Amino acid sequence: MEKLENKNKLSTFMNKHGIIFILLVMIIVSTIMEPSFLNYKNLINVFRQISVTGPIAIGMTFVIINGGIDISVGGIVGLAGMVAMILMSKGYGILIALLAALAIGILVGFINGYYVSKGLAPFIVTMSTNTILRGLAQLTTNGQPVWGIANSYEIFGQGYIGFVPVPVIIFLLVFAVAYIILNHTTIGRSVYAVGGNAESSRLSGISILKSKIFVYCISGILSAITAIVLTSRLASSDPTIGLDYQVDAIAATVIGGTSMSGGEGRVEKTLVGILIIGILSNILNLAGVSPYIQQVVKGLIILGAVVWDNSKRKNK
C-alpha cells in the first residue's frame, strides 16, 4: 500500500514538475559535456535563438489547446518576411513593412480559423495554406533572395537594450501578453473550453467560429513577428526562411505538456519546452552533431511527448 502511494506521489510530481526537472538535468548534463555551454556569449546565443521560434511556439500553444494544429506557420514566416523586405527595398517606410507583415499573419490566421470552424481538418487546411504561401513567396521574387534593409529596422533582430537583445525582450513581452490572455480573460477561458469539448461549448453559448479565428489569428500574428525578427537579424530574406519552424513549435508545445487532444496546456510550460529545444539544439551544435541527426532527435522527442500525453490521458 505504501509503495503504491509513493508511486502515485512520484507520478503526480512528474506530471506537475517533471518538465522543470528535465530542464535542470539538461543544463547540468550540457555543462558537463561542454564547459563552454555556460559561457556568456553562448547563453546569449541560446536566448537569441529561442526568441526567433519562441513566438511561433506560443501561438501554437493557443491553437493546440483549442483542439487544432497549425502547419502554416513556416509559410507565414516566409511570405511575411519577403513582403516586408520587398516593401523596404521599394522605398516604403518601416511602418508600412511592419503592418504588411502583420496583416499577412492576420489574414492567413483568419482563413485558417474560418475553414477549421466549418469542420475541415486543421492539418489539411493549414498544410494547404502553407503550400500556397510558399508558392507566393517564391513568386514575389521568382525564388530569389532580397537584401538591404533600413538601419532602423535592424533593431528588431540585432539591437540591444542594455545588455539584453531586443529579440529576447520582444519574446518576453509576447509571453507575458499570452499568459495574461490565457489565464485572466474570458476569451482565454473559451480557448480551453472549445478545445476540451466543442459541442458543450457551443451549447453554452461560446462561438466556435470566433474562438477558432482568434487562436489562428494569434498564431498568424506571432509567426509574422518571427518573420520581422528573423529578417532583421539576417538583413535579408528568401522564400525558404522559416522552413520547418512548425517542427520546433510543435515540439516545444507538446514537451511543455499541452495535450494534442486539446483543452489542456500552459503557456509557461511551453516556455520551458522552448528552452529545452533551444538548449538541445545548442549542445548538439557545440558537439558538432550533424543537423540531419538533430532533425531525427527532434522527431523522436515529438513522438515521445505525444506517447507520454496519450499515456497520461489513458491513466486519467
Side-chain angles (χ1 to χ4, degrees):
M1 188 69 177
E2 185 178 346
K3 286 183 178 180
L4 181 60
E5 288 181 359
N6 291 334
K7 184 178 179 181
N8 289 335
K9 287 180 180 179
L10 178 61
S11 178
T12 301
F13 174 83
M14 289 304 295
N15 285 336
K16 287 185 176 180
H17 309 293
I19 188 71
I20 304 293
F21 177 75
I22 292 171
L23 176 62
L24 293 174
V25 169
M26 282 192 66
I27 292 173
I28 294 171
V29 171
S30 297
T31 304
I32 293 172
M33 288 178 60
E34 292 288 340
S36 61
F37 173 76
L38 290 179
N39 180 278
Y40 171 77
K41 290 184 178 180
N42 184 61
L43 290 178
I44 287 294
N45 184 52
V46 171
F47 285 113
R48 286 177 68 94
Q49 188 60 42
I50 66 173
S51 67
V52 173
T53 55
I56 297 180
I58 289 176
M60 191 69 72
T61 303
F62 275 78
V63 173
I64 294 179
I65 289 174
N66 198 243
I69 194 77
D70 192 355
I71 306 300
S72 69
V73 292
I76 294 173
V77 172
L79 183 59
M82 287 297 288
V83 169
M85 291 295 295
I86 289 170
L87 287 172
M88 282 187 288
S89 69
K90 298 290 185 182
Y92 291 93
I94 293 175
L95 181 60
I96 297 297
L98 295 177
L99 291 176
L102 294 174
I104 289 171
I106 293 172
L107 177 61
V108 176
F110 181 89
I111 293 170
N112 285 338
Y114 177 81
Y115 282 107
V116 169
S117 72
K118 298 304 179 183
L120 298 181
F123 181 85
I124 299 301
V125 171
T126 57
M127 182 179 65
S128 300
T129 52
N130 184 64
T131 303
I132 293 168
L133 294 169
R134 283 292 171 196
L136 290 173
Q138 295 280 354
L139 283 171
T140 53
T141 60
N142 198 27
Q144 300 301 309
V146 180
W147 288 277
I149 59 175
N151 291 336
S152 52
Y153 185 76
E154 293 179 354
I155 188 173
F156 299 109
Q158 303 179 37
Y160 280 79
I161 295 180
F163 61 90
V164 183
V166 170
V168 176
I169 294 173
I170 292 173
F171 171 53
L172 292 176
L173 288 174
V174 166
F175 167 76
V177 172
Y179 178 85
I180 292 170
I181 290 174
L182 279 178
N183 293 283
H184 300 289
T185 67
T186 301
I187 187 67
R189 288 189 287 272
S190 74
V191 169
Y192 283 97
V194 171
N197 192 318
E199 182 59 21
S200 295
S201 299
R202 185 185 66 80
L203 293 174
S204 66
I206 297 174
S207 171
I208 305 300
L209 174 64
K210 290 180 179 178
S211 182
K212 295 295 182 185
I213 287 176
F214 173 73
V215 296
Y216 279 100
C217 281
I218 289 289
S219 181
I221 290 170
L222 296 184
S223 298
I225 288 175
T226 287
I228 292 166
V229 171
L230 186 58
T231 53
S232 171
R233 181 177 177 181
L234 299 174
S236 65
S237 182
D238 70 73
T240 63
I241 67 166
L243 193 65
D244 293 334
Y245 271 19
Q246 66 271 15
V247 175
D248 282 358
I250 294 171
T253 304
V254 296
I255 287 171
T258 299
S259 173
M260 293 298 291
S261 301
E264 182 181 346
R266 306 285 296 183
V267 72
E268 56 269 35
K269 288 191 174 182
T270 295
L271 176 60
V272 179
I274 294 166
L275 286 168
I276 288 175
I277 292 295
I279 291 172
L280 177 65
S281 296
N282 179 257
I283 197 64
L284 291 177
N285 285 331
L286 289 176
V289 177
S290 164
Y292 307 119
I293 295 177
Q294 293 186 35
Q295 287 183 331
V296 174
V297 171
K298 288 177 183 178
L300 290 172
I301 288 173
I302 294 175
L303 178 61
V306 171
V307 170
W308 173 256
D309 173 58
N310 187 59
S311 175
K312 284 197 301 181
R313 287 191 291 108
K314 283 185 177 179
N315 289 335
K316 287 181 180 180

